[in-house]
Amino acid sequence: MKNVTLAIDEALLEKARGLAGRRQTTLNALVRSLLAHEVEQDDRIAWAKAGMKRLMDEAAKRSDSADTPYKWDRRDAYADREDRLLSRHERPDLRGFGEES
């Protein structure tokens, strides 16, 4: 692991130490956790953008090759996950509606 030196405002540093104490962790662990979260979030955003670009490109190809414009269907977003999707009749009732008492 590498060491990094940060310049932090004293008031912010005291509040961060207090937060770390309330979470029963170290300031070092808190900073590592926050940075890991930010990097993971950035990776998720990049993955989502790439997926949307792929969907738009596929839709454009379909509409260019057909006589009628292609209408996007939300199932297209799940094309690579069809094996994990349940049909409407196979889904459990998650909200508790329709349960027999």
Side-chain angles (χ1 to χ4, degrees):
M1 225 182 256
K2 295 272 187 177
N3 288 329
V4 176
T5 301
L6 300 172
I8 299 175
D9 179 70
E10 288 179 34
L12 177 59
L13 179 59
E14 286 307 310
K15 288 180 180 181
R17 283 183 175 148
L19 177 61
R22 288 189 300 278
R23 293 188 179 177
Q24 297 181 341
T25 189
T26 64
L27 183 59
N28 194 25
L30 181 64
V31 170
R32 276 196 315 263
S33 174
L34 291 170
L35 283 173
H37 174 76
E38 287 298 313
V39 169
E40 182 181 320
Q41 190 73 359
D42 192 58
D43 289 346
R44 286 181 179 180
I45 291 169
W47 176 83
K49 284 180 178 180
M52 291 303 296
K53 172 114 174 67
R54 180 183 52 80
L55 286 173
M56 289 187 298
D57 291 345
E58 288 174 9
K61 287 177 189 173
R62 288 180 187 168
S63 65
D64 289 345
S65 63
D67 293 335
T68 58
Y70 174 71
K71 185 172 183 202
W72 184 81
D73 187 317
R74 73 182 209 150
R75 288 174 289 194
D76 294 343
Y78 300 101
D80 61 336
R81 303 183 326 161
E82 277 188 32
D83 58 322
R84 293 187 285 166
L85 296 178
L86 300 174
S87 75
R88 188 175 202 172
H89 300 288
E90 294 173 311
R91 270 186 247 150
D93 191 4
L94 300 177
R95 294 190 184 122
F97 298 114
E99 291 179 2
E100 299 296 322
S101 300

